[in-house]
Amino acid sequence: FTATPKAKTIELFGRCPDPDAPPSDGNIPQAFHVYTMRQAIEEGFILDVLKNYTTYDMALKLAQKLSEADSEVERKRASIRIGQWLRLHPTNITRKVEIIITHFRECVAPLLGGKAKAMVVTGSRKEAVRYKLAFDKHIQEKGYAGIQAMVAFSGDVEDLESGPDPFNERNMNPTLKGRDMRKAFDTDEYQVMLVANKFQTGFDQPKLCAMYVDKKLKGVDCIQTLSRLNRTYAGKQTFVLDFVNDPEDILGAFRPYYRTAELAEVSNPNLIY
């Protein structure tokens, strides 16, 4: 069992300590062989995505601490920098977009010889729509070259506050022109992918270096989402900026899979009724 086997997988394919006895509290299916996340990281097959995991609150404190530590910095300039962080506190999508684009341009875009990419994980399809509109607007207003975002979500989204017509992948990604999103994102044309319940599992893009999380993540979904970053690439380092989750919750979600995944109990078929 590699990486993040779900409970159902262990129940179906695991082995009970006593194979002749029915499943019980002390006789539940277990993995017969485990290739843990820790071993995979140590052997260089995947990257440790928690190595540079940072919450927004922690990033703000670090920015303040760094400014305070350098007594030679001009007070007015330092105050302006700290003030920018305070004014950009993530109270709405527009501010978060400014933070994301600024960080991407300064810290991520230069990686991998300028080919590094990022993913923004949003909490809903409507949020994904508004993120895309805010991204396009901010990039256009600032005149940033070399940054283009695509948005991925299923179906049509009604958002009258943003526009009279339904939004979908087709009309929000006009430059795609019918191309497969995975293949298009692999080109130099796109640098950022905004997602809402898409491409958070099974998406393999080695050049993905950064993730900006604006969605509550739990359990296996948390591991699967952040693990989009764990593909190896020469010279790659990862970065996660999380706007909403608690670091302890993220660590708790990873802990069972870092060494091994276990099954708490066998599912009861009577629960269906």
Side-chain angles (χ1 to χ4, degrees), residues 100-101 104 116-120 132 135 139 147-151 185 189-194 208 212:
I100 291 168
I101 293 178
F104 179 80
K117 298 180 183 295
M119 176 180 284
V120 180
K132 180 62 162 64
F135 250 79
I139 290 171
I147 300 181
Q148 185 170 204
M150 66 165 60
V151 63
F185 190 59
E189 186 177 352
Y190 297 95
Q191 293 72 40
V192 181
M193 178 183 280
L194 314 167
L208 195 62
Y212 305 94

Side-chain angles (χ1 to χ4, degrees), residues 93-94 97 100-101 120 122 124-140 147-153 159 162 167-176 181 190-196:
I93 288 175
T94 301
V97 164
I100 291 168
I101 293 178
V120 180
T122 69
S124 68
R125 297 187 304 153
K126 183 175 286 188
E127 286 182 33
V129 167
R130 295 189 178 185
Y131 256 103
K132 180 62 162 64
L133 295 173
F135 250 79
D136 293 347
K137 181 180 179 182
H138 187 72
I139 290 171
Q140 184 177 11
I147 300 181
Q148 185 170 204
M150 66 165 60
V151 63
F153 59 88
D159 185 9
S162 300
F167 295 92
N168 52 54
E169 288 182 345
R170 186 176 59 260
N171 59 31
M172 295 209 78
N173 299 304
T175 56
L176 267 179
M181 298 187 79
Y190 297 95
Q191 293 72 40
V192 181
M193 178 183 280
L194 314 167
V195 301

